[in-house]
């Protein structure tokens, strides 16, 4: 039997937490032979902590053979102690009358504290995935607040956008979602993201040639994927939870266990590729192997793509400037 891996989840009593924890405990994220200890963080509030205890009771009632322990706490230093993987899901939602800038600042405070705590107590090779919005900038803040950890340990979730796009491509082409290779989403997890199928193939055939409809790309595909989160909020009255948890599982699964040569999208600190300034947490095509990701380099960027990439980068630069005083 392998030694247990410690997995921290913040916002564990929230909607995504509820869709996520049971799948981690059943081995879907790290493998069916990998025991896990869950270290669950919630805010220091009676209602949230009580709800968290209810979730733990349900975890117990599943009798998961791989669940080797559960810790609950309101203290990030306890939640992140010796963790191998940290899923930062909990974030301040936008309240009535709150501007985007206020949201950014409220979350900046949370992710500064959590970055410092990871820096102090997490395993030195901890893999951090930020789900809580604004995910790219929150990941950037946590990374900057953890100077003793490798910046490459910090990632943001664009896998939901990647999966959403595959589903749209499958519906358009009649091909299966798992047939697609070499697809990616560039940039910010926000409506400015740029889903890009120029390099994508299905069964060896070019997806761009199969579709052959630039009008559909510009006026249907890109906006549908970019605004999918808002469409779900409008329909459900709540933001996506099961699909977000599923994407978090896919992201960490592939990071730890490898993508077998397939491109996946991860929000990672730029190494300067494609002219994205170093450190900006940006959605890139990557492959993963042996617990490491590698950005796919030297793809041609045409004028159409450059326009989209510049817009999403501009938004990220603006977000970064908005929190600069705190870092
Ligand atoms: P939710 O409101 O149901 O749950 C969030 C939980 O986080 C709450 O229980 C809250 O008490 C907790 N929390 C807040 N601040 C915390 C802190 N400082 N420490 C620990 N816990 C804290 O929200 P949800 O539906 O689970 O969504 C969580 C976040 O994920 C939101 O920011 C949402 O916008 C984001 N999201 C991101 C993606 C993505 O693709 N990146 C997709 C969907 C949702
Ligand atoms: C999503 O993409 O579903 C979410 O990020 C939307 C949101 O604002 O919570």
């Amino acid at each position: 039997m392998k030694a247990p891996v410690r997995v921290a989840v913040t916002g564990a009593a929230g909607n995504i937490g509820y869709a996520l924890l049971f799948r981690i405990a059943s081995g879907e994220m790290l493998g069916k032979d990998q025991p896990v200890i869950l270290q669950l963080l919630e805010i220091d509030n009676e209602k949230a902590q009580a709800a968290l205890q209810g979730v733990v009771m349900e975890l117990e009632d599943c009798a998961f053979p791989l669940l080797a322990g559960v810790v609950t706490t309101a203290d990030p230093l306890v939640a992140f102690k010796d963790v191998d993987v940290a899923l930062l899901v909990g974030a301040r939602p936008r309240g009535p009358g709150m501007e985007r800038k206020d949201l950014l600042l409220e979350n900046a405070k949370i992710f500064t504290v959590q970055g410092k705590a990871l820096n102090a107590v997490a395993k030195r090779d901890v893999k951090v995935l930020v789900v809580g919005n604004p995910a790219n900038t929150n990941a950037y803040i946590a990374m900057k607040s953890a100077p003793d950890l490798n910046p490459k340990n910090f990632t943001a979730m664009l896998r939901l956008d990647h999966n959403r796009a595959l589903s749209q491509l499958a519906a358009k082409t009649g091909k299966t979602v798992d047939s697609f290779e070499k697809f990616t989403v560039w940039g910010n997890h926000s409506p400015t993201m740029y889903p890009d199928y120029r390099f994508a193939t299905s069964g060896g055939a070019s997806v761009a040639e199969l579709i052959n409809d630039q009008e559909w790309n510009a006026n249907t595909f890109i906006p549908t994927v970019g605004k999918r989160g808002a469409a779900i909020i409008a329909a459900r009255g709540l933001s996506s939870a099961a699909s977000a948890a599923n994407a978090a599982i896919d992201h960490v699964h592939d990071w730890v266990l490898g993508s077998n040569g397939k491109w996946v999208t991860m929000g990672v600190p730029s190494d300067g590729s494609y002219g994205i300034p170093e450190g900006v947490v940006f959605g890139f095509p990557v492959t993963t192997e042996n617990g490491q990701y590698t950005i796919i380099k030297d793809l041609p960027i045409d004028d159409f793509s450059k326009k989209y990439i510049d817009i999403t980068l501009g938004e990220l630069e603006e977000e970064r400037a908005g929190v600069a005083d705190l870092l």
Side-chain angles (χ1 to χ4, degrees):
M1 198 62 162
K2 289 181 171 175
V5 162
R6 292 181 181 272
V7 179
V9 179
T10 75
N15 284 305
I16 295 176
Y18 196 69
L20 182 62
L21 298 177
F22 300 87
R23 295 186 61 190
I24 299 173
S26 71
E28 286 182 57
M29 187 170 82
L30 296 172
K32 296 283 183 187
D33 59 346
Q34 179 58 66
V36 291
I37 297 172
L38 289 174
Q39 305 194 169
L40 308 179
L41 183 72
E42 256 301 338
I43 49 171
D44 192 6
N45 160 293
E46 214 175 304
K47 210 169 150 205
Q49 290 295 326
L52 184 57
Q53 292 313 316
V55 176
V56 173
M57 285 156 71
E58 285 203 70
L59 282 166
E60 288 167 4
D61 295 350
C62 293
F64 287 120
L66 292 173
L67 187 56
V70 183
V71 174
T72 63
T73 180
D75 181 353
L77 290 170
V78 175
F80 298 146
K81 179 80 183 142
D82 296 331
V83 289
D84 302 277
V85 176
L87 301 174
L88 308 188
V89 178
R92 174 80 193 270
R94 194 198 291 254
M98 221 170 150
E99 298 295 330
R100 191 178 166 82
K101 171 100 182 151
D102 303 327
L103 184 74
L104 207 59
L105 288 175
E106 285 304 317
N107 280 300
K109 289 181 209 152
I110 294 174
F111 287 84
T112 306
V113 170
Q114 294 188 356
K116 284 183 179 161
L118 285 162
N119 193 55
V121 298
K123 288 252 178 73
R124 295 303 85 181
D125 59 354
V126 61
K127 289 181 162 56
V128 181
L129 169 62
V130 177
V131 175
N133 280 320
N136 297 53
T137 296
N138 289 342
Y140 174 79
I141 292 163
M143 172 185 89
K144 286 290 176 192
S145 306
D148 302 329
L149 296 175
N150 187 338
K152 287 192 84 173
N153 300 9
F154 289 84
T155 66
M157 192 162 92
L158 276 97
R159 187 60 175 266
L160 179 54
D161 312 305
H162 182 105
N163 289 347
R164 285 167 170 166
L166 294 185
S167 222
Q168 297 297 322
L169 291 178
K172 178 73 176 171
T173 60
K175 306 289 181 189
T176 58
V177 279
D178 62 342
S179 72
F180 297 112
E181 307 263 355
K182 299 189 173 176
F183 172 77
T184 197
V185 183
W186 303 91
N188 198 5
H189 172 69
S190 90
T192 67
M193 72 181 80
Y194 171 42
D196 180 5
Y197 60 73
R198 288 177 302 139
F199 313 105
T201 58
S202 171
S206 157
V207 169
E209 284 174 19
L210 281 172
I211 293 175
N212 193 23
D213 186 349
Q214 188 57 9
E215 196 277 330
W216 179 80
N217 182 31
N219 298 325
T220 302
F221 176 68
I222 293 172
T224 300
V225 176
K227 293 181 193 156
R228 186 71 161 185
I232 288 167
I233 293 174
R236 255 171 48 88
L238 285 171
S239 74
S240 63
S243 55
N246 181 68
I249 300 250
D250 284 351
H251 177 118
V252 175
H253 176 277
D254 289 351
W255 192 1
V256 173
L257 297 170
S259 66
N260 296 320
K262 231 176 160 155
W263 292 15
V264 291
T265 302
M266 290 171 72
V268 303
S270 176
D271 59 0
S273 300
Y274 302 100
I276 308 303
E278 215 173 317
V280 172
V281 176
F282 201 82
F284 283 109
V286 303
T287 52
T288 53
E289 197 178 6
N290 300 324
Q292 305 292 326
Y293 60 80
T294 307
I295 297 174
I296 306 290
K297 303 282 178 144
D298 299 328
L299 296 167
I301 303 297
D302 58 18
D303 289 346
F304 177 87
S305 305
K306 185 166 178 351
K307 189 182 90 189
Y308 281 93
I309 289 175
D310 284 350
I311 290 170
T312 195
L313 174 61
E315 184 181 51
L316 280 169
E317 301 252 54
E318 224 173 82
E319 290 183 13
R320 188 164 67 153
V323 298
D325 290 352
L326 284 170
L327 298 174

